Amino acid sequence: MNQFLLYDLWKYSYQDFYNQNIFFDEIFFDTRNIIKGEHGVYFCFEKIYEKAKIYVQEAVEKKVVAIVSCFNFDTKNIPILVNKNPIKLLQKFSKYHLQKFLHLQKIAITGSYGKTIIKEWLHFCLRDEFMVVSSPKSYNSQIGVPISILQTKKHHQVGIFECGISSPNEMKNLQNIICPEIGILTNIQKEHLQFFESKQQLIQEKCLLFKNSKKLFFLSENKQLITYLKSNFKNMILVQIGVSKYCDIQLINQKNNFIKVRFFSNISCFKIPMSDSVSVFNILIVIGLLYNFGFSIEKIQKKIMNLTPVLMRIELKHGVFNSSILYDTSNPDLSSIKIALERLFHFSNIKKLVVITDVFQFEYTEFNLYKKIFYFLNSMNLYHVFLIGKSIKKYQYLCKNPNSVFESYKDLIKNFNSKNITNSAILIKGSKIFKLEKFVRSIESQSHDTILEVNLDSILYNIKVFKNYLHPSTKIMAMVKANSYGTGSYEIAKFLQHHKIDYLGVAYVHEAVILRNNGIYLPIMVMNPDQNSHNTIIEYCLEPEIYSLRVLNLFVNKLQEIKYQKKFLIHIKIDSGMHRLGFQDNQIKELNKVLKKHSNLYIKSIFTHLADSDNKNSNFTFNQIKKFEKLYNKIVINLDYKPLKHILNSNGIIFFPKFQFEMVRLGIGMYGYVVDKLIQKKLKNVITLKTKISQIIFLKKGESVGYNRKFFAQKNTHIATLPIGYADGIFRKLGNGNFQVLIGTKKAKIVGVVCMDMIMVELGDFFCNEGDEVIIYGEQNSVAEAAKKCDTNPYEILTSISNRVKRVFVND
Ligand SMILES: *Cc1c(COP(=O)(O)O)cnc(C)c1O
């Protein structure tokens, strides 16, 4: 979000605020989400005095910058703005913010389904040509829209905002705030109808959003809607999308992944990445918009081939008794509940179950909220609904499907008969505080007792730690070679792409291909482009590291062979002392000659790699840097542009930030490990390797454990066997008492030798159960510690965790 003055907030409430130097850049509307209040204003929407008092008190304790509430409270030194309608104030504040940007092209999307997907796809398709701002996640409500809008900054050219309504009179507010020039109406279903008198009223309400729009794209063949639009929006250009011949954009036919489309009077064919009917129509809307933006058919084709299904935070897992688990980890609100239910509905399993907890959403009274939720639930034929929590319990009577109520996940687990989910699909959706992940684990199928959990937010956090050493303009190349140092395949890259990392680096071409095939469009440097892969490099728009004249010549020949005309991006690697790959001083002349001859080679960057970056004051490193700069200059002197210059890896960033130049290459550090002890403490743990106890046995004093009888019990004890061994990446050196795993709060030594698929740990008198979770590597028993025991580094431990171990990605 932008920085705003408290002074302005007060001003829009027609009140005076005397300090013109207090800023805020965050807005909270749920005190539970306030971690650090320093920069945020808390908007209290609660209308009941006693409750508001409690929330405001909490916000005061969390030291927010200011509070807006309809009641006055004693907030000590924190300014409080008393306004009888904080939501209206927030809307007004965002409206005036948006009005500052006269050149922003504003697009608003509404409709029953598909809003979020279309918004995300449009953003993706326009982001190369325009600076785009769009609503985060499904922020489309009376509060979500203002929050989305407050992100808009001066440099943005296109704003894409999603608008949802659930009762009459909401849309006019959103229209008033956004005033979109272009409208998109995805479709109108009768799902909300119970809050409206008739379909006509629903149509009228939704179309209010387009009151002053110039153009509307809509996906519908509904006569009532079309008549309404034609008679009420005489000055608006209507673009109808559908299958009938009356449509302006008509889907003529579809064969698998190919569609034939008529735009007004032109007919074109497109290859599309998804072929289900919902996606096809969503893609048609996107095509229509891109056409409107003046993109050529060729360009549109390229863009839509790169679309990927939008990640909602729903994890799909295998459950016991052949069930499918949809575990939605995002906090529930009305729109995410609806999306999750739609997902569930797409499953072919006939039996469908839902677990849902209390929902907190302040825009609605509790009764209205649950009325809506149960309306969604009742519209589906569910085998059983499990309601968890005290407030949802009160509305159990609204539930038309077979159901039961529990107070907590513990009660649920206790009373749950897993056989009931045989062959079913089960949706689990709940507030974080209900800890449903524990329930999910209890019904997950046993084949994944051992998992590597990768915390994506921790990676992001660690990157921020490194950013503290960098100028805002320094680019970051995230190293995702070797399956992101063993943490996952394309998932990490995808996450980093979402968070706008600048560059990716991989070792081999096939690693980059996997990324491209999974929707990664960021530039990717390939460090070791083997000579048979040059075609692939060109085809997949990859950028090779050129480390020798041999590689350079091979490339040049390939480009000539295929008559490549455009600029081809390469990276030049200098050997400044590592003596691994790279150009030496005496080869630069020849390099320059070849470069001069082939003007379509574009040197994106020139770089080198440090051999001794683990040492803080290494003279060797200073010499490497000196040599690198010299050779860099020798190459650049012949160019009329400046390639990016980079040298630092993770530890280099910490120890030699002065030499960050225009880019750094961040690897091990973002996965959580550095040499410097102080910085290590600042980093968050990213990976947790977990398993579950297979068996616990009692061992008498003097008895032995495992192959070659390397362990003898010194006294009567208990031994737990864990289903993870050296084939999963547990080094044999960790056996024989060298490393401890964590069971609950208890540390247990690995005893005897590490087997291929199992290890044994000593429990002593510690009480635990078969099936209990065990942490092999985690925050307290870290990979770094294991590395030390094995005379190696965290890199080797991480990349040794084998493919047999399932990777699970989590957000906090
Ligand atoms: C792997 C690699 C990096 C990243 O190194 P870290 O120590 O993991 O930060 C940087 N540059 C090159 C050339 C690499 O191969």
Side-chain angles (χ1 to χ4, degrees):
M1 216 165 93
N2 284 279
Q3 275 210 338
F4 297 99
L5 273 174
L6 271 191
Y7 173 85
D8 285 331
L9 192 59
W10 257 252
K11 190 176 77 189
Y12 289 127
S13 178
Y14 306 110
Q15 299 183 49
D16 288 331
F17 190 74
Y18 295 101
N19 187 333
Q20 297 209 18
N21 293 316
I22 306 183
F23 292 93
F24 67 98
D25 57 13
E26 199 165 357
I27 285 176
F28 302 111
F29 37 90
D30 183 339
T31 47
R32 285 165 304 183
N33 293 336
I34 308 176
I35 297 168
K36 273 163 76 183
E38 289 139 42
H39 305 287
V41 171
Y42 170 56
F43 275 74
C44 180
F45 300 131
E46 180 56 57
K47 294 199 183 85
I48 300 169
Y49 180 85
E50 282 71 28
K51 285 191 185 168
K53 186 171 175 180
I54 295 168
Y55 296 140
V56 168
Q57 189 55 42
E58 195 181 338
V60 169
E61 274 159 26
K62 291 184 170 174
K63 296 199 171 57
V64 293
V65 177
I67 291 165
V68 181
S69 152
C70 43
F71 307 106
N72 201 356
F73 297 104
D74 174 17
T75 51
K76 304 191 181 127
N77 292 328
I78 296 178
I80 178 162
L81 175 59
V82 182
N83 182 297
K84 69 178 191 308
N85 194 339
I87 295 185
K88 270 261 140 39
L89 176 65
L90 179 63
Q91 293 179 343
K92 188 163 153 191
F93 190 67
S94 69
K95 175 186 159 111
Y96 288 123
H97 176 66
L98 198 62
Q99 279 180 358
K100 289 183 222 155
F101 310 110
L102 295 175
H103 299 291
L104 187 76
Q105 163 117 239
K106 292 170 290 186
I107 304 176
I109 309 177
T110 192
S112 305
Y113 298 114
K115 295 186 286 288
T116 306
I117 292 222
I118 289 173
K119 177 203 68 196
E120 296 282 331
W121 282 356
L122 264 182
H123 187 139
F124 170 80
C125 289
L126 295 173
R127 54 177 275 171
D128 288 340
E129 283 75 14
F130 301 96
M131 301 300 288
V132 184
V133 58
S134 66
S135 328
K137 300 177 211 158
S138 306
Y139 275 33
N140 63 26
S141 65
Q142 297 288 303
I143 298 165
V145 169
I147 299 273
S148 307
I149 281 176
L150 291 176
Q151 298 182 97
T152 313
K153 296 192 161 87
K154 210 162 65 199
H155 65 272
H156 287 128
Q157 298 167 303
V158 178
I160 311 173
F161 303 108
E162 186 183 326
C163 302
I165 51 163
S166 43
S167 53
N169 294 321
E170 290 189 343
M171 196 57 101
K172 74 171 193 306
N173 295 335
L174 301 183
Q175 192 280 333
N176 186 269
I177 305 171
I178 306 175
C179 282
E181 282 110 49
I182 297 181
I184 299 174
L185 179 59
T186 59
N187 50 34
I188 292 189
Q189 304 268 343
K190 55 180 191 304
E191 102 280 20
H192 283 135
L193 225 48
Q194 105 255 22
F195 305 108
F196 296 87
E197 284 160 22
S198 62
K199 183 141 188 175
Q200 185 69 19
Q201 195 205 4
L202 178 64
I203 289 175
Q204 283 176 19
E205 175 76 20
K206 291 221 164 169
C207 291
L208 272 181
L209 180 61
F210 313 119
K211 201 171 82 185
N212 293 319
S213 303
K214 299 199 181 84
K215 207 169 203 177
L216 173 67
F217 292 81
F218 68 102
L219 180 65
S220 178
E221 316 261 338
N222 181 292
K223 291 217 176 69
Q224 205 178 345
L225 172 68
I226 296 167
T227 317
Y228 179 78
L229 286 173
K230 289 202 167 140
S231 54
N232 287 280
F233 293 92
K234 293 223 167 67
N235 294 322
M236 186 160 67
I237 302 171
L238 294 174
V239 183
Q240 189 188 353
I241 301 171
V243 290
S244 81
K245 63 178 183 203
Y246 305 107
C247 291
D248 303 291
I249 298 181
Q250 179 199 2
L251 176 67
I252 300 174
N253 62 36
Q254 176 188 359
K255 283 206 186 85
N256 302 324
N257 283 51
F258 290 90
I259 51 173
K260 193 168 177 187
V261 182
R262 181 180 55 79
F263 295 92
F264 307 95
S265 56
N266 297 327
I267 292 179
S268 298
C269 286
F270 291 96
K271 185 164 183 221
I272 51 174
M274 286 152 265
S275 59
D276 61 285
S277 66
V278 175
S279 301
V280 170
F281 284 105
N282 287 340
I283 288 173
L284 272 186
I285 296 181
V286 172
I287 292 180
L289 260 289
L290 295 182
Y291 194 70
N292 181 70
F293 269 90
F295 288 25
S296 68
I297 298 291
E298 205 184 3
K299 198 158 192 182
I300 294 177
Q301 169 68 77
K302 245 200 203 134
K303 301 234 169 216
I304 57 175
M305 261 328 274
N306 283 324
L307 297 177
T308 50
V310 172
L311 276 180
M312 305 299 301
R313 282 195 291 170
I314 298 180
E315 294 173 7
L316 184 61
K317 294 163 180 276
H318 296 289
V320 291
F321 299 110
N322 196 30
S323 59
S324 307
I325 305 172
L326 280 87
Y327 176 37
D328 185 339
T329 58
S330 57
N331 257 330
D333 58 24
L334 269 183
S335 60
S336 74
I337 289 171
K338 208 171 87 189
I339 293 169
L341 282 170
E342 281 170 32
R343 278 277 190 97
L344 179 65
F345 199 71
H346 285 300
F347 271 74
S348 54
N349 314 47
I350 295 172
K351 242 163 91 178
K352 296 188 172 75
L353 298 91
V354 171
V355 177
I356 185 165
T357 69
D358 287 353
V359 175
F360 309 97
Q361 199 172 359
F362 290 93
E363 299 133 89
Y364 305 99
T365 63
E366 199 175 79
F367 173 72
N368 273 333
L369 180 64
Y370 286 110
K371 200 165 111 191
K372 285 169 208 240
I373 290 171
F374 281 108
Y375 180 78
F376 295 149
L377 286 166
N378 293 341
S379 64
M380 294 178 76
N381 198 355
L382 298 168
Y383 179 78
H384 203 91
V385 183
F386 297 90
L387 310 169
I388 319 291
K390 289 199 177 104
S391 37
I392 202 165
K393 184 175 174 181
K394 287 186 270 174
Y395 302 95
Q396 184 186 10
Y397 68 92
L398 293 171
C399 188
K400 298 269 168 20
N401 285 300
N403 62 77
S404 33
V405 186
F406 298 102
E407 292 227 334
S408 69
Y409 78 90
K410 283 186 186 147
D411 293 343
L412 174 65
I413 293 176
K414 225 188 278 161
N415 294 294
F416 195 80
N417 180 355
S418 335
K419 284 232 169 69
N420 279 340
I421 61 171
T422 305
N423 295 326
S424 70
I426 176 164
L427 169 69
I428 295 160
K429 170 99 200 154
S431 266
K432 297 231 163 63
I433 49 170
F434 283 92
K435 301 202 163 63
L436 285 182
E437 68 275 6
K438 307 234 165 158
F439 171 68
V440 172
R441 260 177 240 150
S442 75
I443 57 168
E444 256 187 289
S445 74
Q446 300 297 300
S447 64
H448 292 306
D449 274 353
T450 302
I451 59 164
L452 182 69
E453 202 176 271
V454 182
N455 190 317
L456 297 172
D457 286 336
S458 298
I459 293 183
L460 198 61
Y461 182 91
N462 292 342
I463 292 175
K464 287 204 183 116
V465 171
F466 282 89
K467 276 195 176 158
N468 281 336
Y469 288 82
L470 303 175
H471 306 302
S473 61
T474 306
K475 291 186 185 336
I476 297 180
M477 176 184 283
M479 302 311 283
V480 292
K481 58 196 181 200
N483 288 332
S484 300
Y485 290 45
T487 59
S489 172
Y490 60 89
E491 295 89 348
I492 309 292
K494 187 138 210 171
F495 177 75
L496 295 174
Q497 171 168 284
H498 182 75
H499 288 282
K500 311 214 160 36
I501 206 90
D502 304 287
Y503 246 95
L504 295 173
V506 298
Y508 299 109
V509 172
H510 78 267
E511 296 179 332
V513 170
I514 293 172
L515 299 186
R516 283 280 185 260
N517 285 342
N518 284 285
I520 306 294
Y521 48 80
L522 285 178
I524 305 176
M525 179 175 91
V526 180
M527 294 190 293
N528 210 334
D530 47 290
Q531 57 190 57
N532 297 320
S533 64
H534 294 179
N535 272 331
T536 318
I537 286 189
I538 297 164
E539 186 183 336
Y540 281 83
C541 261
L542 307 174
E543 301 172 13
E545 164 186 322
I546 304 291
Y547 54 81
S548 71
L549 288 167
R550 179 184 68 90
V551 178
L552 181 63
N553 286 323
L554 279 168
F555 250 101
V556 166
N557 292 343
K558 177 53 91 196
L559 292 177
Q560 284 181 336
E561 182 189 315
I562 63 166
K563 301 207 167 54
Y564 194 85
Q565 298 296 343
K566 289 179 279 186
K567 290 261 179 231
F568 191 78
L569 270 48
I570 59 170
H571 300 261
I572 302 280
K573 172 80 158 286
I574 303 285
D575 179 8
S576 60
M578 176 88 155
H579 300 320
R580 195 169 66 177
L581 294 179
F583 285 91
Q584 313 265 349
D585 199 349
N586 60 10
Q587 296 166 326
I588 301 292
K589 232 187 188 159
E590 184 63 27
L591 167 67
N592 282 340
K593 248 198 232 157
V594 183
L595 291 174
K596 198 165 179 186
K597 211 165 108 200
H598 300 281
S599 58
N600 68 336
L601 289 174
Y602 185 90
I603 306 173
K604 186 70 207 205
S605 83
I606 302 176
F607 73 106
T608 190
H609 195 37
L610 295 177
D612 197 25
S613 67
D614 291 3
N615 287 316
K616 192 169 183 170
N617 286 314
S618 163
N619 263 331
F620 187 83
T621 297
F622 288 116
N623 284 333
Q624 268 197 286
I625 296 170
K626 233 190 271 161
K627 186 161 178 191
F628 168 60
E629 292 211 81
K630 190 179 108 194
L631 299 195
Y632 174 91
N633 290 331
K634 265 194 180 178
I635 301 172
V636 172
I637 200 160
N638 296 308
L639 304 172
D640 54 6
Y641 59 94
K642 263 193 90 179
L644 297 171
K645 190 179 194 181
H646 48 117
I647 185 163
L648 300 180
N649 63 344
S650 306
N651 287 312
I653 298 171
I654 307 284
F655 290 146
F656 310 95
K658 220 176 114 191
F659 303 101
Q660 56 188 273
F661 303 122
E662 289 93 34
M663 185 152 80
V664 295
R665 303 185 305 272
L666 181 58
I668 194 79
M670 67 178 164
Y671 306 105
Y673 310 96
V674 285
V675 171
D676 188 282
K677 292 208 174 65
L678 270 176
I679 309 302
Q680 180 65 59
K681 285 210 187 91
K682 288 191 189 168
L683 296 179
K684 279 197 183 171
N685 182 60
V686 172
I687 68 124
T688 311
L689 180 62
K690 296 174 174 179
T691 189
K692 285 178 194 159
I693 298 175
S694 307
Q695 179 172 259
I696 296 176
I697 56 160
F698 173 71
L699 197 72
K700 279 207 215 106
K701 181 176 171 180
E703 288 181 323
S704 69
V705 169
Y707 287 124
N708 304 335
R709 307 190 67 207
K710 292 286 187 196
F711 172 79
F712 289 92
Q714 300 299 309
K715 52 181 197 275
N716 289 351
T717 187
H718 290 88
I719 299 289
T721 301
L722 312 179
I724 182 168
Y726 57 76
D728 301 288
I730 302 300
F731 282 53
R732 293 190 80 233
K733 278 200 174 150
L734 294 179
N736 296 323
N738 279 329
F739 194 66
Q740 301 182 325
V741 301
L742 205 67
I743 307 174
T745 54
K746 154 95 181 167
K747 290 202 161 172
K749 269 193 180 137
I750 301 178
V751 292
V753 299
V754 171
C755 314
M756 186 187 282
D757 312 306
M758 279 173 263
I759 53 177
M760 281 68 90
V761 299
E762 183 177 10
L763 300 173
D765 296 328
F766 178 66
F767 181 78
C768 56
N769 291 308
E770 294 177 352
D772 280 0
E773 184 176 275
V774 182
I775 301 201
I776 311 285
Y777 304 136
E779 193 154 355
Q780 292 176 55
N781 43 346
S782 84
V783 164
E785 217 176 297
K788 230 184 262 159
K789 295 280 164 66
C790 299
D791 296 323
T792 179
N793 55 20
Y795 302 70
E796 190 183 4
I797 300 280
L798 282 180
T799 52
S800 300
I801 299 172
S802 78
N803 278 337
R804 194 159 85 169
V805 179
K806 184 182 145 103
R807 269 69 174 166
V808 175
F809 302 91
V810 296
N811 297 78
D812 286 336

